[in-house]
Structure formats: structure tokens, C-alpha cells
mmCIF file of all heavy atoms in Angstrom:
data_model
loop_
_atom_site.group_PDB
_atom_site.id
_atom_site.type_symbol
_atom_site.label_atom_id
_atom_site.label_comp_id
_atom_site.label_asym_id
_atom_site.label_seq_id
_atom_site.Cartn_x
_atom_site.Cartn_y
_atom_site.Cartn_z
ATOM 1 N N ASP E 1 0.840 -1.200 0.000
ATOM 2 C CA ASP E 1 0.000 0.000 0.000
ATOM 3 C C ASP E 1 0.881 1.258 0.000
ATOM 4 O O ASP E 1 0.742 2.145 0.841
ATOM 5 C CB ASP E 1 -0.940 -0.009 1.212
ATOM 6 C CG ASP E 1 -2.051 1.042 1.077
ATOM 7 O OD1 ASP E 1 -2.352 1.445 -0.073
ATOM 8 O OD2 ASP E 1 -2.584 1.482 2.111
ATOM 9 N N ASP E 2 1.815 1.272 -0.961
ATOM 10 C CA ASP E 2 2.766 2.377 -1.044
ATOM 11 C C ASP E 2 3.034 2.702 -2.508
ATOM 12 O O ASP E 2 2.559 2.023 -3.409
ATOM 13 C CB ASP E 2 4.067 2.006 -0.313
ATOM 14 C CG ASP E 2 4.740 3.226 0.313
ATOM 15 O OD1 ASP E 2 4.896 4.237 -0.389
ATOM 16 O OD2 ASP E 2 5.115 3.146 1.496
ATOM 17 N N ASP E 3 3.821 3.724 -2.723
ATOM 18 C CA ASP E 3 4.139 4.230 -4.049
ATOM 19 C C ASP E 3 5.215 3.369 -4.730
ATOM 20 O O ASP E 3 6.173 2.941 -4.074
ATOM 21 C CB ASP E 3 4.642 5.678 -3.885
ATOM 22 C CG ASP E 3 4.978 6.310 -5.207
ATOM 23 O OD1 ASP E 3 4.048 6.544 -5.988
ATOM 24 O OD2 ASP E 3 6.175 6.540 -5.455
ATOM 25 N N ALA E 4 5.072 3.129 -6.045
ATOM 26 C CA ALA E 4 6.017 2.291 -6.795
ATOM 27 C C ALA E 4 7.440 2.855 -6.751
ATOM 28 O O ALA E 4 8.410 2.094 -6.644
ATOM 29 C CB ALA E 4 5.555 2.131 -8.239
ATOM 30 N N ASP E 5 7.589 4.188 -6.818
ATOM 31 C CA ASP E 5 8.925 4.794 -6.773
ATOM 32 C C ASP E 5 9.606 4.521 -5.434
ATOM 33 O O ASP E 5 10.806 4.246 -5.368
ATOM 34 C CB ASP E 5 8.853 6.310 -7.010
ATOM 35 C CG ASP E 5 8.519 6.637 -8.461
ATOM 36 O OD1 ASP E 5 8.756 5.768 -9.321
ATOM 37 O OD2 ASP E 5 8.023 7.741 -8.727
ATOM 38 N N ARG E 6 8.816 4.609 -4.357
ATOM 39 C CA ARG E 6 9.383 4.332 -3.026
ATOM 40 C C ARG E 6 9.745 2.843 -2.888
ATOM 41 O O ARG E 6 10.738 2.495 -2.253
ATOM 42 C CB ARG E 6 8.406 4.763 -1.938
ATOM 43 C CG ARG E 6 8.427 6.277 -1.704
ATOM 44 C CD ARG E 6 7.289 6.765 -0.791
ATOM 45 N NE ARG E 6 6.985 5.910 0.341
ATOM 46 C CZ ARG E 6 7.627 5.938 1.522
ATOM 47 N NH1 ARG E 6 8.606 6.803 1.718
ATOM 48 N NH2 ARG E 6 7.260 5.137 2.500
ATOM 49 N N VAL E 7 8.946 1.990 -3.519
ATOM 50 C CA VAL E 7 9.252 0.552 -3.493
ATOM 51 C C VAL E 7 10.569 0.294 -4.222
ATOM 52 O O VAL E 7 11.398 -0.489 -3.769
ATOM 53 C CB VAL E 7 8.096 -0.277 -4.109
ATOM 54 C CG1 VAL E 7 8.529 -1.715 -4.380
ATOM 55 C CG2 VAL E 7 6.884 -0.258 -3.185
ATOM 56 N N GLU E 8 10.783 0.994 -5.352
ATOM 57 C CA GLU E 8 12.059 0.871 -6.084
ATOM 58 C C GLU E 8 13.231 1.269 -5.182
ATOM 59 O O GLU E 8 14.270 0.613 -5.166
ATOM 60 C CB GLU E 8 12.053 1.776 -7.321
ATOM 61 C CG GLU E 8 11.117 1.320 -8.418
ATOM 62 C CD GLU E 8 11.787 0.393 -9.435
ATOM 63 O OE1 GLU E 8 12.858 -0.164 -9.121
ATOM 64 O OE2 GLU E 8 11.214 0.219 -10.513
ATOM 65 N N THR E 9 13.057 2.357 -4.418
ATOM 66 C CA THR E 9 14.107 2.806 -3.493
ATOM 67 C C THR E 9 14.355 1.752 -2.414
ATOM 68 O O THR E 9 15.497 1.433 -2.077
ATOM 69 C CB THR E 9 13.716 4.146 -2.831
ATOM 70 O OG1 THR E 9 13.438 5.093 -3.865
ATOM 71 C CG2 THR E 9 14.810 4.675 -1.934
ATOM 72 N N ALA E 10 13.257 1.179 -1.893
ATOM 73 C CA ALA E 10 13.370 0.131 -0.872
ATOM 74 C C ALA E 10 14.080 -1.095 -1.437
ATOM 75 O O ALA E 10 14.923 -1.707 -0.762
ATOM 76 C CB ALA E 10 11.982 -0.252 -0.360
ATOM 77 N N LEU E 11 13.790 -1.443 -2.691
ATOM 78 C CA LEU E 11 14.467 -2.572 -3.329
ATOM 79 C C LEU E 11 15.964 -2.310 -3.472
ATOM 80 O O LEU E 11 16.781 -3.222 -3.342
ATOM 81 C CB LEU E 11 13.847 -2.862 -4.707
ATOM 82 C CG LEU E 11 12.485 -3.565 -4.683
ATOM 83 C CD1 LEU E 11 11.800 -3.459 -6.049
ATOM 84 C CD2 LEU E 11 12.633 -5.030 -4.278
ATOM 85 N N GLY E 12 16.320 -1.044 -3.730
ATOM 86 C CA GLY E 12 17.735 -0.667 -3.806
ATOM 87 C C GLY E 12 18.439 -0.925 -2.482
ATOM 88 O O GLY E 12 19.575 -1.433 -2.454
ATOM 89 N N LEU E 13 17.772 -0.584 -1.371
ATOM 90 C CA LEU E 13 18.348 -0.853 -0.039
ATOM 91 C C LEU E 13 18.535 -2.353 0.171
ATOM 92 O O LEU E 13 19.565 -2.802 0.673
ATOM 93 C CB LEU E 13 17.435 -0.299 1.059
ATOM 94 C CG LEU E 13 17.344 1.213 1.217
ATOM 95 C CD1 LEU E 13 16.318 1.563 2.296
ATOM 96 C CD2 LEU E 13 18.706 1.794 1.588
ATOM 97 N N LEU E 14 17.515 -3.124 -0.224
ATOM 98 C CA LEU E 14 17.589 -4.577 -0.043
ATOM 99 C C LEU E 14 18.664 -5.197 -0.937
ATOM 100 O O LEU E 14 19.323 -6.152 -0.550
ATOM 101 C CB LEU E 14 16.226 -5.221 -0.340
ATOM 102 C CG LEU E 14 15.114 -4.910 0.657
ATOM 103 C CD1 LEU E 14 13.791 -5.498 0.194
ATOM 104 C CD2 LEU E 14 15.475 -5.435 2.047
ATOM 105 N N ARG E 15 18.832 -4.632 -2.140
ATOM 106 C CA ARG E 15 19.853 -5.139 -3.061
ATOM 107 C C ARG E 15 21.236 -5.005 -2.435
ATOM 108 O O ARG E 15 22.076 -5.886 -2.556
ATOM 109 C CB ARG E 15 19.767 -4.380 -4.389
ATOM 110 C CG ARG E 15 20.035 -5.274 -5.590
ATOM 111 C CD ARG E 15 19.928 -4.520 -6.895
ATOM 112 N NE ARG E 15 18.584 -4.469 -7.400
ATOM 113 C CZ ARG E 15 17.872 -3.361 -7.558
ATOM 114 N NH1 ARG E 15 18.378 -2.187 -7.237
ATOM 115 N NH2 ARG E 15 16.657 -3.396 -8.033
ATOM 116 N N GLU E 16 21.461 -3.872 -1.761
ATOM 117 C CA GLU E 16 22.748 -3.678 -1.072
ATOM 118 C C GLU E 16 22.900 -4.657 0.086
ATOM 119 O O GLU E 16 23.941 -5.258 0.278
ATOM 120 C CB GLU E 16 22.838 -2.247 -0.528
ATOM 121 C CG GLU E 16 23.141 -1.201 -1.573
ATOM 122 C CD GLU E 16 23.163 0.199 -0.970
ATOM 123 O OE1 GLU E 16 23.625 0.335 0.187
ATOM 124 O OE2 GLU E 16 22.712 1.134 -1.649
ATOM 125 N N ARG E 17 21.822 -4.786 0.857
ATOM 126 C CA ARG E 17 21.853 -5.649 2.037
ATOM 127 C C ARG E 17 22.052 -7.114 1.657
ATOM 128 O O ARG E 17 22.736 -7.862 2.344
ATOM 129 C CB ARG E 17 20.537 -5.480 2.802
ATOM 130 C CG ARG E 17 20.516 -6.090 4.179
ATOM 131 C CD ARG E 17 19.207 -5.811 4.887
ATOM 132 N NE ARG E 17 18.953 -4.383 5.016
ATOM 133 C CZ ARG E 17 17.753 -3.834 5.240
ATOM 134 N NH1 ARG E 17 16.697 -4.608 5.362
ATOM 135 N NH2 ARG E 17 17.613 -2.537 5.343
ATOM 136 N N TYR E 18 21.396 -7.531 0.566
ATOM 137 C CA TYR E 18 21.445 -8.929 0.140
ATOM 138 C C TYR E 18 22.226 -9.075 -1.164
ATOM 139 O O TYR E 18 21.723 -9.579 -2.146
ATOM 140 C CB TYR E 18 20.026 -9.474 -0.051
ATOM 141 C CG TYR E 18 19.258 -9.591 1.238
ATOM 142 C CD1 TYR E 18 18.288 -8.659 1.578
ATOM 143 C CD2 TYR E 18 19.509 -10.637 2.120
ATOM 144 C CE1 TYR E 18 17.578 -8.768 2.762
ATOM 145 C CE2 TYR E 18 18.809 -10.748 3.306
ATOM 146 C CZ TYR E 18 17.840 -9.805 3.623
ATOM 147 O OH TYR E 18 17.154 -9.926 4.791
ATOM 148 N N SER E 19 23.467 -8.660 -1.174
ATOM 149 C CA SER E 19 24.291 -8.807 -2.377
ATOM 150 C C SER E 19 25.222 -9.991 -2.194
ATOM 151 O O SER E 19 25.514 -10.406 -1.072
ATOM 152 C CB SER E 19 25.082 -7.530 -2.652
ATOM 153 O OG SER E 19 25.910 -7.232 -1.555
ATOM 154 N N ASP E 20 25.670 -10.572 -3.316
ATOM 155 C CA ASP E 20 26.586 -11.718 -3.259
ATOM 156 C C ASP E 20 27.819 -11.355 -2.447
ATOM 157 O O ASP E 20 28.396 -10.289 -2.622
ATOM 158 C CB ASP E 20 27.010 -12.119 -4.688
ATOM 159 C CG ASP E 20 26.461 -13.474 -5.078
ATOM 160 O OD1 ASP E 20 26.194 -14.284 -4.176
ATOM 161 O OD2 ASP E 20 26.277 -13.713 -6.287
ATOM 162 N N GLY E 21 28.205 -12.243 -1.547
ATOM 163 C CA GLY E 21 29.385 -12.004 -0.725
ATOM 164 C C GLY E 21 29.062 -11.370 0.610
ATOM 165 O O GLY E 21 29.877 -11.393 1.521
ATOM 166 N N ARG E 22 27.851 -10.793 0.745
ATOM 167 C CA ARG E 22 27.469 -10.156 2.014
ATOM 168 C C ARG E 22 26.458 -10.994 2.782
ATOM 169 O O ARG E 22 26.272 -10.802 3.974
ATOM 170 C CB ARG E 22 26.855 -8.776 1.751
ATOM 171 C CG ARG E 22 27.846 -7.769 1.205
ATOM 172 C CD ARG E 22 27.263 -6.383 1.204
ATOM 173 N NE ARG E 22 27.066 -5.924 2.570
ATOM 174 C CZ ARG E 22 26.472 -4.782 2.903
ATOM 175 N NH1 ARG E 22 26.028 -3.983 1.968
ATOM 176 N NH2 ARG E 22 26.333 -4.423 4.149
ATOM 177 N N SER E 23 25.753 -11.880 2.065
ATOM 178 C CA SER E 23 24.683 -12.637 2.698
ATOM 179 C C SER E 23 24.549 -13.994 2.025
ATOM 180 O O SER E 23 24.962 -14.175 0.878
ATOM 181 C CB SER E 23 23.368 -11.853 2.553
ATOM 182 O OG SER E 23 22.269 -12.632 2.955
ATOM 183 N N GLY E 24 23.953 -14.942 2.729
ATOM 184 C CA GLY E 24 23.669 -16.256 2.141
ATOM 185 C C GLY E 24 22.467 -16.213 1.232
ATOM 186 O O GLY E 24 22.182 -17.160 0.502
ATOM 187 N N ILE E 25 21.734 -15.100 1.286
ATOM 188 C CA ILE E 25 20.551 -14.896 0.438
ATOM 189 C C ILE E 25 20.840 -13.707 -0.466
ATOM 190 O O ILE E 25 21.415 -12.713 -0.033
ATOM 191 C CB ILE E 25 19.307 -14.604 1.305
ATOM 192 C CG1 ILE E 25 19.000 -15.806 2.190
ATOM 193 C CG2 ILE E 25 18.107 -14.267 0.444
ATOM 194 C CD1 ILE E 25 17.975 -15.522 3.246
ATOM 195 N N VAL E 26 20.425 -13.816 -1.733
ATOM 196 C CA VAL E 26 20.666 -12.758 -2.710
ATOM 197 C C VAL E 26 19.329 -12.305 -3.292
ATOM 198 O O VAL E 26 18.468 -13.136 -3.593
ATOM 199 C CB VAL E 26 21.583 -13.270 -3.845
ATOM 200 C CG1 VAL E 26 21.790 -12.217 -4.911
ATOM 201 C CG2 VAL E 26 22.932 -13.709 -3.278
ATOM 202 N N LEU E 27 19.159 -10.990 -3.425
ATOM 203 C CA LEU E 27 17.966 -10.451 -4.088
ATOM 204 C C LEU E 27 18.276 -10.354 -5.569
ATOM 205 O O LEU E 27 19.287 -9.779 -5.966
ATOM 206 C CB LEU E 27 17.614 -9.062 -3.530
ATOM 207 C CG LEU E 27 16.424 -8.370 -4.212
ATOM 208 C CD1 LEU E 27 15.126 -9.141 -3.977
ATOM 209 C CD2 LEU E 27 16.277 -6.936 -3.702
ATOM 210 N N GLU E 28 17.404 -10.940 -6.401
ATOM 211 C CA GLU E 28 17.635 -10.873 -7.839
ATOM 212 C C GLU E 28 16.385 -10.424 -8.574
ATOM 213 O O GLU E 28 15.265 -10.632 -8.115
ATOM 214 C CB GLU E 28 18.110 -12.217 -8.383
ATOM 215 C CG GLU E 28 17.075 -13.325 -8.300
ATOM 216 C CD GLU E 28 17.553 -14.641 -8.893
ATOM 217 O OE1 GLU E 28 18.627 -14.655 -9.522
ATOM 218 O OE2 GLU E 28 16.838 -15.631 -8.743
ATOM 219 N N GLN E 29 16.598 -9.790 -9.722
ATOM 220 C CA GLN E 29 15.507 -9.409 -10.605
ATOM 221 C C GLN E 29 15.391 -10.522 -11.627
ATOM 222 O O GLN E 29 16.320 -10.795 -12.390
ATOM 223 C CB GLN E 29 15.823 -8.081 -11.297
ATOM 224 C CG GLN E 29 14.610 -7.505 -12.002
ATOM 225 C CD GLN E 29 14.858 -6.068 -12.446
ATOM 226 O OE1 GLN E 29 15.921 -5.510 -12.205
ATOM 227 N NE2 GLN E 29 13.874 -5.490 -13.096
ATOM 228 N N VAL E 30 14.262 -11.232 -11.620
ATOM 229 C CA VAL E 30 14.130 -12.429 -12.439
ATOM 230 C C VAL E 30 12.660 -12.660 -12.768
ATOM 231 O O VAL E 30 11.784 -12.302 -11.989
ATOM 232 C CB VAL E 30 14.737 -13.643 -11.690
ATOM 233 C CG1 VAL E 30 13.970 -13.966 -10.427
ATOM 234 C CG2 VAL E 30 14.833 -14.861 -12.572
ATOM 235 N N ALA E 31 12.409 -13.238 -13.954
ATOM 236 C CA ALA E 31 11.050 -13.615 -14.372
ATOM 237 C C ALA E 31 10.070 -12.461 -14.221
ATOM 238 O O ALA E 31 8.935 -12.643 -13.788
ATOM 239 C CB ALA E 31 10.570 -14.838 -13.584
ATOM 240 N N GLY E 32 10.510 -11.249 -14.559
ATOM 241 C CA GLY E 32 9.612 -10.093 -14.531
ATOM 242 C C GLY E 32 9.339 -9.528 -13.152
ATOM 243 O O GLY E 32 8.437 -8.716 -12.964
ATOM 244 N N GLY E 33 10.105 -9.941 -12.156
ATOM 245 C CA GLY E 33 9.881 -9.441 -10.804
ATOM 246 C C GLY E 33 11.136 -9.584 -9.958
ATOM 247 O O GLY E 33 12.242 -9.716 -10.480
ATOM 248 N N TYR E 34 10.951 -9.556 -8.640
ATOM 249 C CA TYR E 34 12.063 -9.680 -7.695
ATOM 250 C C TYR E 34 11.831 -10.891 -6.803
ATOM 251 O O TYR E 34 10.689 -11.208 -6.449
ATOM 252 C CB TYR E 34 12.170 -8.423 -6.823
ATOM 253 C CG TYR E 34 12.648 -7.227 -7.608
ATOM 254 C CD1 TYR E 34 11.746 -6.441 -8.324
ATOM 255 C CD2 TYR E 34 14.000 -6.886 -7.658
ATOM 256 C CE1 TYR E 34 12.183 -5.341 -9.060
ATOM 257 C CE2 TYR E 34 14.443 -5.806 -8.392
ATOM 258 C CZ TYR E 34 13.528 -5.031 -9.090
ATOM 259 O OH TYR E 34 13.965 -3.959 -9.822
ATOM 260 N N ALA E 35 12.925 -11.560 -6.448
ATOM 261 C CA ALA E 35 12.835 -12.741 -5.582
ATOM 262 C C ALA E 35 14.162 -12.946 -4.871
ATOM 263 O O ALA E 35 15.204 -12.474 -5.320
ATOM 264 C CB ALA E 35 12.486 -13.978 -6.411
ATOM 265 N N PHE E 36 14.100 -13.655 -3.758
ATOM 266 C CA PHE E 36 15.307 -14.063 -3.062
ATOM 267 C C PHE E 36 15.728 -15.439 -3.561
ATOM 268 O O PHE E 36 14.886 -16.271 -3.909
ATOM 269 C CB PHE E 36 15.073 -14.147 -1.547
ATOM 270 C CG PHE E 36 14.999 -12.809 -0.867
ATOM 271 C CD1 PHE E 36 13.867 -12.431 -0.155
ATOM 272 C CD2 PHE E 36 16.063 -11.925 -0.924
ATOM 273 C CE1 PHE E 36 13.802 -11.202 0.483
ATOM 274 C CE2 PHE E 36 16.012 -10.696 -0.291
ATOM 275 C CZ PHE E 36 14.874 -10.340 0.411
ATOM 276 N N ARG E 37 17.028 -15.687 -3.610
ATOM 277 C CA ARG E 37 17.562 -17.012 -3.906
ATOM 278 C C ARG E 37 18.780 -17.228 -3.021
ATOM 279 O O ARG E 37 19.334 -16.284 -2.470
ATOM 280 C CB ARG E 37 17.933 -17.165 -5.379
ATOM 281 C CG ARG E 37 19.102 -16.301 -5.803
ATOM 282 C CD ARG E 37 19.683 -16.746 -7.142
ATOM 283 N NE ARG E 37 20.664 -15.803 -7.649
ATOM 284 C CZ ARG E 37 21.925 -15.719 -7.247
ATOM 285 N NH1 ARG E 37 22.373 -16.516 -6.291
ATOM 286 N NH2 ARG E 37 22.750 -14.824 -7.762
ATOM 287 N N ALA E 38 19.201 -18.478 -2.917
ATOM 288 C CA ALA E 38 20.421 -18.774 -2.159
ATOM 289 C C ALA E 38 21.619 -18.225 -2.920
ATOM 290 O O ALA E 38 21.644 -18.231 -4.145
ATOM 291 C CB ALA E 38 20.562 -20.280 -1.980
ATOM 292 N N SER E 39 22.608 -17.735 -2.190
ATOM 293 C CA SER E 39 23.839 -17.272 -2.836
ATOM 294 C C SER E 39 24.538 -18.470 -3.464
ATOM 295 O O SER E 39 24.271 -19.623 -3.110
ATOM 296 C CB SER E 39 24.762 -16.616 -1.812
ATOM 297 O OG SER E 39 25.212 -17.586 -0.885
ATOM 298 N N ARG E 40 25.457 -18.199 -4.400
ATOM 299 C CA ARG E 40 26.158 -19.296 -5.079
ATOM 300 C C ARG E 40 26.900 -20.186 -4.080
ATOM 301 O O ARG E 40 26.905 -21.402 -4.205
ATOM 302 C CB ARG E 40 27.135 -18.723 -6.113
ATOM 303 C CG ARG E 40 26.420 -18.250 -7.352
ATOM 304 C CD ARG E 40 27.369 -17.704 -8.410
ATOM 305 N NE ARG E 40 26.625 -17.260 -9.569
ATOM 306 C CZ ARG E 40 25.982 -16.112 -9.659
ATOM 307 N NH1 ARG E 40 25.988 -15.282 -8.645
ATOM 308 N NH2 ARG E 40 25.319 -15.784 -10.754
ATOM 309 N N GLU E 41 27.518 -19.576 -3.072
ATOM 310 C CA GLU E 41 28.296 -20.377 -2.125
ATOM 311 C C GLU E 41 27.407 -21.243 -1.230
ATOM 312 O O GLU E 41 27.857 -22.242 -0.684
ATOM 313 C CB GLU E 41 29.214 -19.495 -1.268
ATOM 314 C CG GLU E 41 28.486 -18.496 -0.403
ATOM 315 C CD GLU E 41 29.417 -17.519 0.295
ATOM 316 O OE1 GLU E 41 30.525 -17.276 -0.218
ATOM 317 O OE2 GLU E 41 29.012 -16.997 1.343
ATOM 318 N N ALA E 42 26.123 -20.878 -1.113
ATOM 319 C CA ALA E 42 25.213 -21.663 -0.263
ATOM 320 C C ALA E 42 24.311 -22.597 -1.065
ATOM 321 O O ALA E 42 23.606 -23.422 -0.484
ATOM 322 C CB ALA E 42 24.348 -20.713 0.571
#
């Protein structure tokens, strides 16, 4: 229940938080949307 532009900004924060090498979970843009997946090392 929020604005799409603000959601994009929030996704940017999550992308930093869940980037390869920083977490066992990675945020990726896939299949027309966003999803979490296990990092390559996990």
C-alpha cells in the first residue's frame, strides 16, 4: 500500500543488504519481478 517509486528505493536498499558475498541470500531481478535465492556459495 505504497508508491512504486518508493518501493524501487526500498528494493535498492535490499539489493545492497542482500548482495553476493554479504549474505547467504541474494535479491535478484528475475522472471519479470524480484525474488530471493540462495547465494552461489550456499
Side-chain angles (χ1 to χ4, degrees):
D1 193 23
D2 212 311
D3 181 68
D5 288 338
R6 282 170 40 84
V7 167
E8 290 269 18
T9 304
L11 285 165
L13 289 176
L14 291 175
R15 217 179 274 116
E16 283 178 36
R17 191 177 301 160
Y18 292 103
S19 59
D20 247 335
R22 293 190 67 185
S23 171
I25 297 169
V26 177
L27 177 65
E28 66 178 351
Q29 192 169 359
V30 65
Y34 290 85
F36 285 121
R37 67 164 171 79
S39 66
R40 284 181 180 79
E41 62 187 26

